[in-house]
Amino acid sequence: MIKDITLGQYFPGASPIHKLDPRTKVLLTILYIVSLFVIRGGWGYFVSAAMMFVIIALSRIPFGVVLRGIKPILFVLLFTATFNLIYGTGTPIFEDVSWLGWLTWNGLRNAVFMAVRIILLVIGTSFMTYTTSPIMLTGAMESLLAPLKWVKVPVHELSMMMTIALRFIPTLVDETDKIISAQKARGADFETGNIFRRAKALVPILIPLIISAFRRAEELADAMECRCYHGGNDRTRYKVFHFAARDALAALVMTGQLALIIFLNVVT
Amino acid sequence: MEIIRTENLTHRYGIGTPFEKTALDGVNISVREGEYVGVIGQTGSGKSTLISHLNAILKPTEGKVFVDGADLWSENKARRIETRFKVGLVFQYPEYQLFEETVYKDIAFGPKNMKLDEAEIDRRVRESLRFVGMGEDCLDKSPFDLSGGQKRRIAIAGVMALEPKVLILDEPAAGLDPKGRDEILSRIRDYHKETGSTVLLVSHSMEDIANNADSIIVMEGGRVRMHETVDAVFERADELIAMGLDIPQITKVFIDLREKGYDVRTDIYTIETAKREILSKLTGGASRD
């Protein structure tokens, strides 16, 4: 049930993708997203999709998991594709059929490309979280944003907050599951009735959940204070990141991909 | 008459992910109506997973669950929700499910879902409050203003108010002080005696179960290792110890006495039988209560 959400989930592993420096992965994910928006023609999408397949294969994450990650955005996908299809301009596909006049080659092209772009965007970004543990990810954020400390941005505190937030997602999901079960055991029904009845049925879940989140926050704050935690300067990390040869290789491949896409844009 | 039966019940969590785990592995149990059953096992032995199947909160990966003779998962959804009123389940740390403004409303949540009339709801709220040993003066208070032990009792009352044929409690005494623990357990025992309903008490502490239960189910690694009367289970105390389960203090004393060369029984788990055993040995076999 609620545990089946895959977006933003980490799958432990020891693949070459898992082993990359998390900072590399953050930067290269950004580069990949940029490359997706640079693409102008079909060949560019082909290159991008091929790149994604290589990454999926290297990471050894089951393909089914990747597909499941797309499920939540299916609606957005259909919505965008439909509108691109309707609002296309240019030559109609069926020039003899007057009532299909709105269906143009241009619109079809845009709809397909837009759908592919969104799918690659979602898979690309989820792959960062599939292969990088949340702790590594926030570590990478902190390290990459470190220059902002010069303009008094509390980078460490922000990344600590993010770590804690990410750390508590599974806990709260577990908690939600437990509360749902407990209220079901008392005959609560979340699945029938109109939208208002269903919204009202959520009250017995939300109130205990909020209360428990506050309780946990307080306990954690106490525990941190007991250990004399204070953020900011001079804190060292338990795991120090090091760029390795594989990071350079990954960066080279990803930049090569972007260069190829730009090249394809120019020639076609 | 048999009220609960499972056939080859198997449950796997996280199928198709790297976290797949078999929590229950071919479990067959049978519980008679009116019986008080203790379910015991270490953390992770599958106790909680087992009981979540008995009122259709979890769906078996394989196998069947029968309640009152009916197969839970061959019936439609409405009937399954009926089962939840027949088998009342009190989860671990039930105090975290309280949500209403007043104690009264919270206990009434279950009966209201059963669509009972106001008078019946009122009767059940007061009755279950009495069962858990709380005064009626707390009915208008917010459940969040009560102490931890009191909250727990209100939450248990919330399930008792369903007047289920089977009441299942998962570690109802966890995290309470010894006085609170004895209080809760004796309340549950009284409830069992007074209503004649079936009770399943899950615990990892033998002491909680030994004094109350008619029979004990011992679980290890998702399987049922023993399902016998309390006496029969304690005769196999050495096996319990090998499983990493704690046996009652008084049983340990008698096992030590036996090792020291005294000819005493070792299936002793209450102070009363211990006293009788010692007295009978001292007076040379003549029992003297």
Side-chain angles (χ1 to χ4, degrees), chain A residues 181 183-184 186 191 208 211, chain B residues 84 96-97 106 113 144:
Chain A
S181 300
Q183 307 300 23
K184 269 189 183 168
R186 293 206 278 167
E191 285 135 8
I211 288 170
Chain B
R84 303 218 170 114
Y96 296 144
Q97 45 166 286
D106 211 287
N113 287 330
F144 301 107

Side-chain angles (χ1 to χ4, degrees), chain A residues 182 185-186, chain B residues 84-85 87-91 94 97 106-107 110-111 114 124 128 153-164 166-169 191:
Chain A
R186 293 206 278 167
Chain B
R84 303 218 170 114
F85 302 131
V87 182
L89 183 50
V90 180
F91 283 91
Q97 45 166 286
D106 211 287
I107 300 179
M114 296 173 83
R124 287 185 175 204
S128 45
R153 290 200 222 169
I154 297 302
I156 293 175
V159 177
M160 283 180 173
L162 302 171
E163 301 197 344
V166 183
L167 181 68
I168 305 176
L169 302 110
Y191 170 89

Side-chain angles (χ1 to χ4, degrees), chain A residues 202-238:
Chain A
L202 288 179
V203 173
I205 299 173
L206 290 179
I207 291 178
L209 191 63
I210 293 167
I211 288 170
S212 107
F214 273 107
R215 184 172 45 83
R216 279 178 200 285
E218 240 164 80
E219 280 170 8
L220 182 67
D222 284 346
M224 285 167 83
E225 222 157 300
C226 288
R227 289 165 176 76
C228 302
Y229 171 84
H230 67 100
N233 299 330
D234 307 327
R235 282 188 78 85
T236 51
R237 292 190 62 86
Y238 171 55

Side-chain angles (χ1 to χ4, degrees), chain A residues 11 30 49 65 75 108 131 147 156 166-167 177 191 221-222 236 266:
Chain A
F11 289 85
I30 295 170
V65 171
F75 176 73
L108 185 65
T131 60
H156 172 80
L166 287 170
R167 161 64 185 76
D177 252 356
E191 285 135 8
D222 284 346
T236 51
V266 173

Side-chain angles (χ1 to χ4, degrees), chain B residues 225-228 230-243 247 266-267:
Chain B
R225 290 289 164 197
M226 302 179 202
H227 184 183
E228 289 172 279
V230 181
D231 294 308
V233 166
F234 277 99
E235 267 174 35
R236 297 160 70 180
D238 46 337
E239 286 177 55
L240 296 174
I241 296 168
M243 276 183 229
I247 56 171
T266 53
D267 58 339

Side-chain angles (χ1 to χ4, degrees), chain A residues 1-267:
Chain A
M1 38 197 298
I2 195 162
K3 281 180 185 160
D4 297 336
I5 302 166
T6 62
L7 205 73
Q9 201 180 1
Y10 170 55
F11 289 85
S15 74
I17 305 286
H18 283 87
K19 282 188 199 151
L20 283 179
D21 190 300
R23 289 172 299 180
T24 316
K25 274 188 270 190
V26 171
L27 290 175
L28 294 187
T29 305
I30 295 170
L31 198 66
Y32 187 74
I33 294 170
V34 169
S35 78
L36 278 176
F37 284 96
V38 168
I39 296 171
R40 272 198 244 129
W43 282 109
Y45 283 112
F46 179 78
V47 171
S48 249
M51 183 79 198
M52 203 64 240
F53 275 111
V54 171
I55 294 171
I56 293 172
L58 277 176
S59 71
R60 293 186 212 121
I61 285 176
F63 204 71
V65 171
V66 181
L67 289 182
R68 246 185 289 154
I70 302 175
K71 234 166 80 182
I73 58 144
L74 220 55
F75 176 73
V76 177
L77 214 57
L78 283 174
F79 188 81
T80 326
T82 314
F83 271 85
N84 273 296
L85 201 60
I86 293 172
Y87 289 106
T89 49
T91 4
I93 300 176
F94 306 102
E95 283 180 71
D96 318 331
V97 195
S98 60
W99 62 272
L100 274 173
W102 52 271
L103 195 64
T104 63
W105 284 113
N106 189 330
L108 185 65
R109 200 181 107 102
N110 280 345
V112 171
F113 283 178
M114 199 48 108
V116 172
R117 178 178 289 175
I118 293 173
I119 290 172
L120 288 177
L121 200 63
V122 169
I123 298 182
T125 41
S126 15
F127 247 78
M128 187 172 71
T129 51
Y130 285 165
T131 60
T132 322
S133 74
I135 301 293
M136 295 290 250
L137 213 54
T138 46
M141 290 290 185
E142 186 180 349
S143 167
L144 289 171
L145 296 177
L148 288 179
K149 280 183 191 159
W150 291 103
V151 285
K152 304 264 185 234
V153 178
V155 175
H156 172 80
E157 283 75 6
L158 287 175
S159 86
M160 191 65 190
M161 277 161 62
M162 229 169 94
T163 311
I164 292 171
L166 287 170
R167 161 64 185 76
F168 275 95
I169 289 173
T171 313
L172 289 179
V173 167
D174 262 4
E175 189 97 10
T176 314
D177 252 356
K178 270 188 204 151
I179 295 169
I180 289 176
S181 300
Q183 307 300 23
K184 269 189 183 168
R186 293 206 278 167
D189 181 7
F190 310 113
E191 285 135 8
T192 55
N194 60 31
I195 189 148
F196 292 106
R197 268 205 51 178
R198 284 194 206 194
K200 229 185 127 195
L202 288 179
V203 173
I205 299 173
L206 290 179
I207 291 178
L209 191 63
I210 293 167
I211 288 170
S212 107
F214 273 107
R215 184 172 45 83
R216 279 178 200 285
E218 240 164 80
E219 280 170 8
L220 182 67
D222 284 346
M224 285 167 83
E225 222 157 300
C226 288
R227 289 165 176 76
C228 302
Y229 171 84
H230 67 100
N233 299 330
D234 307 327
R235 282 188 78 85
T236 51
R237 292 190 62 86
Y238 171 55
K239 273 187 181 156
V240 184
F241 298 138
H242 291 292
F243 283 116
R246 65 169 76 88
D247 295 293
L249 185 67
L252 204 67
V253 171
M254 203 53 107
T255 327
Q257 187 226 210
L258 183 58
L260 186 59
I261 286 169
I262 293 171
F263 172 74
L264 285 169
N265 280 348
V266 173
V267 292

